[in-house]
Amino acid sequence: MLVITYELNDSEKEKTYPSANDFVAAQLKEVPDLPDYYHVVRATIDGKEVDLTDKTISGLFNYLNN
């Protein structure tokens, strides 16, 4: 399970996906689930935190899509 905590309007929101592949697929749609520029506070896969150098949705997408 992929859990993404991101900032939106000075508050933290959370989005959950069954897997990292589901997130990647959702971002490839014509209208992605989350805008690329949202700041990622933390992202975890099966409870383990993902170490991102680019803490944006775009950075998370690129990390998972490699």
Side-chain angles (χ1 to χ4, degrees):
M1 178 182 300
L2 171 64
V3 180
I4 304 167
T5 305
Y6 60 95
E7 288 182 353
L8 178 63
N9 298 329
D10 296 325
S11 66
E12 290 187 2
K13 305 286 184 187
E14 191 174 277
K15 184 86 172 162
T16 304
Y17 294 90
S19 73
N21 288 339
D22 291 310
F23 165 74
V24 169
Q27 289 303 108
L28 289 173
K29 295 188 299 189
E30 185 173 339
V31 178
D33 276 5
L34 299 168
D36 287 342
Y37 60 87
Y38 279 8
H39 175 74
V40 175
V41 176
R42 85 183 69 68
T44 59
I45 298 175
D46 298 330
K48 296 179 183 177
E49 191 154 351
V50 177
D51 185 26
L52 295 174
T53 52
D54 178 358
K55 293 187 176 278
T56 62
I57 294 296
S58 177
L60 177 60
F61 173 85
N62 290 334
Y63 177 88
L64 296 173
N65 200 34
N66 283 332

